[in-house]
Amino acid sequence: MAEPRILPDAALHLDLGTTEEYYGIPYTVVPASQPLVPITYGTGGDDYSEESDPGPMPIPLDAAIEGGSSADPDPASGDRHVLVLQQESCMLYELYNTERLAGGFRVSSSAIWNLTVNHTRPAGWTSADAAGLPILPGLLRYDEAAAGAITHALRFTTPAVRRAYVAPASHCGSYSDASRPPYGLRVRLKAGFDLSPYSGPARTVLTALQRYGLILADQGSPWYVTGTSNPGWAEVLSQLRDRPVRGRDFEVIRLGSITTC
């Protein structure tokens, strides 16, 4: 089978920023005692409650929403993800298309992940991420890059995803063209890609892409790798601008069984 087409000339792009005012997906860590709040569905008329884990959930009313900032914490558009990790229980709560209400949140979909076990969403279900995957485990975080080791795959996006998925994804894309990639596709930076021009956290990121690779999690801009914002990314972004990594520098890892929709 031919490898799926993923825009070989497009450059790898770290979809994050150097301050909260820019890009990236924030996350919030809460204690085991965090109070529960109600979750309702139907933001903008989009309702995936039948494929969602219901509330209430231990999410602070001031939790950071993707696309927000200190000056404007409640964005009016975008994916508006909310990610909350609860200490002690190791439970992860993720919301999509979030609106902050007086006493809770209205969303289009929600998912709860027990991080102490290996499990997936039911077949056909989405999550807060289109592929049905958890978001937080695939985020690019500066603290890991600065420490010198990233030991997991990173999530990425591409504009057109096939109506199919590969485990651990559980949800289909929008396109009938079989040459498009399915959700859950894994790609890896080729072993022969020369890392010597890169240094520091930039080299750590690319080393992780050679070993653990990327997993296709959502439709979006080509080769966008999502992460959290941090001032330390400035040097990494500069190195990748000077020496771009492109789609052709990656190879597809054997897909395994593909579920079509």
Side-chain angles (χ1 to χ4, degrees):
M1 182 182 66
E3 290 188 354
R5 298 183 306 187
I6 321 179
L7 300 169
D9 294 327
L12 185 78
H13 177 87
L14 302 190
D15 189 22
L16 41 79
T18 54
T19 78
E20 66 167 334
E21 315 296 333
Y22 287 82
Y23 303 100
I25 301 180
Y27 67 94
T28 302
V29 179
V30 299
S33 59
Q34 180 66 40
L36 302 176
V37 297
I39 306 296
T40 57
Y41 297 89
T43 303
D46 291 333
D47 185 344
Y48 296 95
S49 56
E50 292 185 355
E51 299 176 20
S52 294
D53 297 315
M57 297 182 183
I59 299 179
L61 294 177
D62 62 351
I65 298 176
E66 177 191 11
S69 66
S70 56
D72 183 15
D74 297 306
S77 61
D79 287 348
R80 295 184 284 185
H81 289 111
V82 169
L83 314 182
V84 172
L85 178 62
Q86 188 175 41
Q87 295 175 318
E88 298 185 28
S89 69
C90 291
M91 299 296 289
L92 173 62
Y93 301 84
E94 298 189 336
L95 311 178
Y96 164 68
N97 206 16
T98 308
E99 289 183 342
R100 201 186 317 270
L101 305 177
F105 297 90
R106 178 167 53 236
V107 303
S108 291
S109 66
S110 61
I112 301 174
W113 302 92
N114 182 346
L115 300 182
T116 67
V117 298
N118 185 17
H119 73 99
T120 61
R121 308 284 284 166
W125 279 30
T126 187
S127 63
D129 220 353
L133 298 166
I135 298 172
L136 182 60
L139 280 188
L140 177 56
R141 293 166 36 201
Y142 186 75
D143 58 330
E144 292 183 314
I150 298 171
T151 58
H152 56 84
L154 301 173
R155 70 186 296 278
F156 82 109
T157 65
T158 195
V161 179
R162 181 183 174 189
R163 288 206 290 262
Y165 62 86
V166 179
S170 60
H171 193 248
C172 286
S174 307
Y175 292 80
S176 58
D177 184 352
S179 69
R180 302 296 182 180
Y183 278 133
L185 173 84
R186 295 286 295 270
V187 299
R188 187 165 50 203
L189 188 62
K190 294 176 181 177
F193 185 86
D194 183 12
L195 300 184
S196 62
Y198 306 89
S199 62
R203 186 162 181 168
T204 299
V205 172
L206 297 182
T207 299
L209 295 186
Q210 282 187 329
R211 182 168 186 181
Y212 300 100
L214 298 167
I215 185 166
L216 182 54
D218 202 353
Q219 288 186 169
S221 298
W223 295 105
Y224 270 43
V225 179
T226 318
T228 58
S229 294
N230 189 288
W233 288 125
E235 174 59 25
V236 178
L237 296 172
S238 176
Q239 289 189 47
L240 291 177
R241 280 194 299 268
D242 293 341
R243 301 179 180 88
V245 180
R246 300 196 181 276
R248 67 172 67 91
D249 297 317
F250 289 84
E251 59 189 354
V252 174
I253 300 171
R254 190 172 67 169
L255 295 179
S257 178
I258 299 177
T259 299
T260 57
C261 306

